[in-house]
Amino acid sequence: MQRFITCLGALALLGLLAACEITIDERTGESDVSVKLPGSEAQRVSLERQWRRCMAYSSRSVCERRIGWVPPGQ
């Protein structure tokens, strides 16, 4: 039973780490840490914000590699 609880704890920790997002403002160097659940509306909004921020300073190909996501219809 102890091993099962340990495994569940490890899976929960991995899930939390997968949902953590660290963003750094390239102009100011200020960082922000937030938790977004994969597939949620909050994650989509965050990805769109990252995309717009990246496109202001970089090319489309750089943003695709850096973010790993392209807004629908782009």
Side-chain angles (χ1 to χ4, degrees), residues 30-51:
E30 183 178 314
S31 63
D32 178 44
V33 178
S34 58
V35 177
K36 307 282 191 280
L37 296 176
S40 68
E41 181 67 17
Q43 183 192 33
R44 184 190 61 77
V45 169
S46 176
L47 288 171
E48 286 179 357
R49 185 175 352 114
Q50 288 178 36
W51 180 263

Side-chain angles (χ1 to χ4, degrees), residues 5 9-10 12-14 18 20-22 26-27 31 34 37 40 42 44 47 51 53 56 58 64 67 72:
I5 292 172
L13 179 60
L14 286 174
C20 282
E21 175 185 308
I22 300 172
E26 295 177 7
R27 290 177 287 152
S31 63
S34 58
L37 296 176
S40 68
R44 184 190 61 77
L47 288 171
W51 180 263
R53 198 177 290 156
S58 301
E64 286 178 10
I67 299 171

Side-chain angles (χ1 to χ4, degrees), residues 45-71:
V45 169
S46 176
L47 288 171
E48 286 179 357
R49 185 175 352 114
Q50 288 178 36
W51 180 263
R52 286 191 307 272
R53 198 177 290 156
C54 183
M55 289 296 289
Y57 297 99
S58 301
S59 68
R60 178 186 170 98
S61 61
V62 168
C63 293
E64 286 178 10
R65 281 193 314 270
R66 190 177 292 167
I67 299 171
W69 179 84
V70 177

